[in-house]
Amino acid sequence: MELLPLRVDHAAEMARVLGDPVLHEFIGGAPLSAGALRERYARLAAGSPDPAVVWCNWVLRLRRDGPLVGTVQATVTPARDAAELAWVIGVPWQGRGFATEAARAVTAWLAGLPVGLLIAHVHPGHHASAAVAAACGFAPTPHREDGEIRWEHRPRAALPPGA
């Protein structure tokens, strides 16, 4: 799989990937039209309006010019030494390890920056997403936000020498 930086011209294909209402049972909201997604992607591609926050957004493409199958994103806040990760895989491609592959790649990239704390929010009933988080080294915490469980991971690369 390839992680490609998100571009506005991905919107039409991603509208089909993210268009299944079943996908939104856990992530909330409703499918966006290609036009609405194009507007959203333009805002994301422009970057965070807060200079203290960096938005990193990728689409996931199956290799050899395959279809787009999902997204992975990280919101990095250097002053907090933290990043929040999220991933979404279209329904037809779920269960094939794509979310785990993408989330592991972004987790490793963030650890190499280094970022000291990685955070993911997982719906308590979304067992597949919990499995992705666990496979990337995240562990659930007692904290809840908007009904989701906060998972955390402290990458080894971000620990001080000798720790």
Side-chain angles (χ1 to χ4, degrees):
M1 178 169 22
E2 298 174 303
L3 275 70
L4 305 171
L6 178 77
R7 296 189 325 251
V8 174
D9 65 349
H10 290 131
E13 187 173 356
M14 286 305 299
R16 292 187 296 275
V17 172
L18 304 174
D20 190 328
V22 170
L23 183 65
H24 296 269
E25 288 178 14
F26 290 117
I27 65 173
L32 296 177
S33 68
L37 203 53
R38 192 172 10 270
E39 290 174 15
R40 177 176 168 76
Y41 285 4
R43 286 190 306 275
L44 292 172
S48 172
D50 181 347
V53 175
V54 179
W55 290 344
C56 306
N57 295 279
W58 299 269
V59 292
L60 313 176
R61 180 179 298 286
L62 295 185
R63 291 192 184 198
R64 296 187 177 88
D65 298 322
L68 297 179
V69 299
T71 65
V72 64
Q73 63 189 57
T75 300
V76 183
T77 309
R80 289 182 38 222
D81 193 28
E84 294 196 32
L85 276 73
W87 48 85
V88 178
I89 301 296
V91 173
W93 301 279
Q94 291 178 0
R96 299 184 193 179
F98 297 142
T100 300
E101 181 180 345
R104 279 183 174 158
V106 172
T107 296
W109 177 72
L110 290 166
L113 289 181
V115 174
L117 176 63
L118 304 182
I119 300 164
H121 294 93
V122 178
H123 186 284
H126 200 310
H127 304 293
S129 205
V132 170
C136 294
F138 288 77
T141 72
H143 303 289
R144 302 291 183 271
E145 187 173 321
D146 296 328
E148 293 185 323
I149 300 168
R150 177 178 164 138
W151 288 62
E152 295 182 353
H153 173 50
R154 294 191 182 275
R156 294 167 55 107
L159 295 176

